[in-house]
Amino acid sequence: MKARIVRQKRALLWGVDPKQEPAVSTIGICDMLGITCRVPGKEGWTVKVETLLETPDTQGCAWENPPLLLLSGLTDRELDDLLGELRRAKLAWPYKAMVTPHNRNWTLEQLYQEIQREHQAVQKQMEK
């Protein structure tokens, strides 16, 4: 008998209150698309990404920086569908990323800082 790997579609919403936008609508869209959402609290900052994706937590946290939408286990088509729905709903997620084999063992802090550096580099290039 062949073992079958079940791909778990997950979204981690960082730096938002789950009872306010953009989290409320994002959670609704993800639910419609079969994507499980995680909304970690501040203690998630120093936890590995792969652990946060497995930990049910919906308390959220206040955050003075741009929020992060981190996605895992989506096919290209599912990613396109999700991003299309977010655009139609006019939901702003300044930082978006996919979990990769390279970053899954990083802490959320490490991942966020890397995304922030990449975002700043892109902004600098656009200014030239």
Side-chain angles (χ1 to χ4, degrees):
M1 175 183 262
K2 284 187 176 180
R4 193 174 111 156
I5 297 173
V6 177
R7 194 174 30 83
Q8 297 183 351
K9 301 181 284 185
R10 296 214 170 103
L12 188 142
L13 290 59
W14 173 255
V16 294
D17 179 335
K19 297 179 181 113
Q20 295 183 1
E21 294 298 351
V24 171
S25 296
T26 301
I27 291 168
I29 290 168
C30 285
D31 187 51
M32 176 184 75
L33 297 174
I35 301 168
T36 302
C37 286
R38 302 286 188 238
V39 190
K42 281 193 189 266
E43 70 284 349
W45 189 238
T46 57
V47 176
K48 287 183 179 182
V49 167
E50 68 182 352
T51 302
L52 286 174
L53 289 168
E54 299 294 328
T55 307
D57 188 347
T58 57
Q59 61 189 14
C61 63
W63 186 249
E64 59 278 356
N65 295 311
L68 166 66
L69 175 61
L70 181 60
L71 304 166
S72 176
L74 278 68
T75 64
D76 289 344
R77 175 62 188 205
E78 291 165 337
L79 178 60
D80 288 346
D81 290 347
L82 174 61
L83 295 177
E85 290 295 330
L86 293 173
R87 269 192 299 280
R88 278 188 280 289
K90 295 182 171 60
L91 295 171
W93 284 97
Y95 291 175
K96 294 182 272 311
M98 291 292 294
V99 175
T100 67
H102 180 71
N103 67 23
R104 77 178 304 106
N105 288 312
W106 293 2
T107 64
L108 188 55
E109 178 180 19
Q110 290 169 310
L111 179 64
Y112 190 91
Q113 289 172 350
E114 179 63 21
I115 292 168
Q116 198 169 37
R117 279 191 291 277
E118 290 174 4
H119 185 76
Q120 288 168 348
V122 169
Q123 293 299 320
K124 212 175 209 181
Q125 284 294 334
M126 291 174 65
E127 291 173 3
K128 290 183 179 182

